């Protein structure tokens, strides 16, 4: 895939994600666009609401600093390549929908590829198409790929820190809000699930 030129940001995203693929390229383009409007989030000032949990989210985490661990990445299971960014500083939000046509003719091949059903020749063909799609996503103009709109949404809740308790069964510490009671004991969710099956 060395015909695809990789800039520093894309390189960082690939390093974080583990490989270059169409999904990562989508996230890279979204992140690149957002970076022109908001600074990278060192702390929680930029919040991303991602409507999918695919490869694209990894580029957003790496390049924009909206991460699962900091609590400024919120996942909504809608299966859409939609990302909404809320700036706490400016109190405004930007919604980005990736409208680029990704697969089309690739759908059948892709399904069989992941099932391990392709012949060697088809596999080579599929991989070539995939790199072409990836390259296109990296190079195409913003307005061909992204539908961007300003949206009015309430400020997402900040990440909260809860007190810790010790589970009376496994003795491990856990966040109070995740606790359960069973047989008069305060226990962690994991132990609760073991008891209740
Ligand atoms: Zn990937
Ligand atoms: Zn426990």
């Amino acid at each position: 895939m060395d015909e695809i030129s990789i800039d520093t940001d894309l390189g960082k995203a690939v390093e974080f994600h583990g490989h270059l693929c169409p999904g990562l390229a989508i996230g890279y383009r979204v992140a690149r666009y957002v970076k022109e409007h908001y600074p990278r989030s060192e702390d929680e000032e930029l919040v991303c609401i991602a409507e999918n949990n695919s490869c694209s989210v990894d580029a957003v985490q790496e390049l924009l600093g909206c991460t699962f661990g900091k609590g400024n990445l919120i996942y909504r299971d809608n299966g859409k390549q939609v990302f909404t960014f809320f700036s706490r500083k400016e109190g405004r939000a930007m919604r980005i929908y990736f409208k680029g046509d990704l697969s089309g003719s690739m759908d059948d091949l892709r399904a069989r590829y992941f099932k391990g059903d392709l012949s060697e020749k088809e596999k080579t063909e599929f991989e070539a198409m995939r790199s072409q799609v990836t390259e296109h996503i990296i190079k195409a103009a913003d307005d061909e790929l992204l539908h961007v709109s300003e949206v009015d949404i309430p400020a997402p809740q900040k990440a909260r820190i809860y007190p810790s308790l010790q589970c009376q069964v496994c003795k491990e510490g856990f966040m109070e809000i995740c606790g359960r009671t069973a047989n008069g004991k305060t226990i962690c969710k994991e132990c609760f699930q073991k008891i209740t099956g």
Side-chain angles (χ1 to χ4, degrees):
M1 225 183 260
D2 39 34
E3 77 275 15
I4 298 177
S5 80
I6 294 190
D7 70 9
T8 317
D9 273 0
L10 184 55
K12 278 192 209 159
V14 170
E15 199 181 314
F16 177 69
H17 181 59
H19 60 240
L20 178 59
C21 62
L24 192 74
I26 292 174
Y28 160 74
R29 289 305 304 263
V30 168
R32 203 171 88 177
Y33 185 87
V34 173
K35 267 178 98 173
E36 288 166 16
H37 297 82
Y38 301 115
R40 189 177 191 283
S41 195
E42 297 301 331
D43 196 9
E44 284 187 67
E45 58 276 13
L46 187 65
V47 183
C48 172
I49 302 158
E51 296 187 27
N52 70 88
N53 61 349
S54 70
C55 298
S56 57
V57 185
D58 277 356
V60 168
Q61 294 199 81
E62 170 65 23
L63 301 178
L64 294 173
C66 297
T67 69
F68 184 57
K70 278 193 297 193
N72 59 343
L73 174 67
I74 298 166
Y75 169 49
R76 296 234 171 99
D77 188 11
N78 295 346
K80 293 171 84 172
Q81 288 293 347
V82 170
F83 298 87
T84 302
F85 295 91
F86 182 85
S87 161
R88 291 198 188 281
K89 230 188 219 154
E90 296 170 41
R92 64 189 178 107
M94 178 196 277
R95 181 185 191 271
I96 302 178
Y97 166 57
F98 181 87
K99 63 180 177 181
D101 181 24
L102 256 193
S103 44
S105 54
M106 270 171 64
D107 274 353
D108 172 56
L109 274 180
R110 187 203 277 141
R112 288 169 48 222
Y113 177 82
F114 287 110
K115 263 173 58 197
D117 262 6
L118 296 188
S119 69
E120 278 311 304
K121 189 172 163 274
E122 284 175 319
K123 222 168 132 183
T124 315
E125 220 175 277
F126 174 76
E127 273 155 11
M129 275 164 82
R130 224 165 115 94
S131 334
Q132 258 176 35
V133 169
T134 305
E135 188 169 6
H136 179 73
I137 296 169
I138 292 168
K139 289 181 178 165
D142 280 339
D143 57 0
E144 188 190 324
L145 301 178
L146 310 175
H147 183 271
V148 182
S149 51
E150 291 272 326
V151 287
D152 202 10
I153 59 163
Q157 256 191 10
K158 282 203 173 187
R160 292 212 212 140
I161 294 164
Y162 295 94
S164 277
L165 291 178
Q166 194 191 31
C167 172
Q168 290 179 260
V169 174
C170 69
K171 310 294 178 208
E172 291 181 351
F174 65 89
M175 221 185 255
E176 184 184 44
I177 194 164
C178 298
R180 299 285 186 273
T181 49
N183 309 325
K185 286 178 174 168
T186 302
I187 63 176
C188 74
K189 214 172 177 176
E190 201 186 353
C191 289
F192 183 77
Q193 278 160 358
K194 277 181 199 158
I195 292 170
T196 57

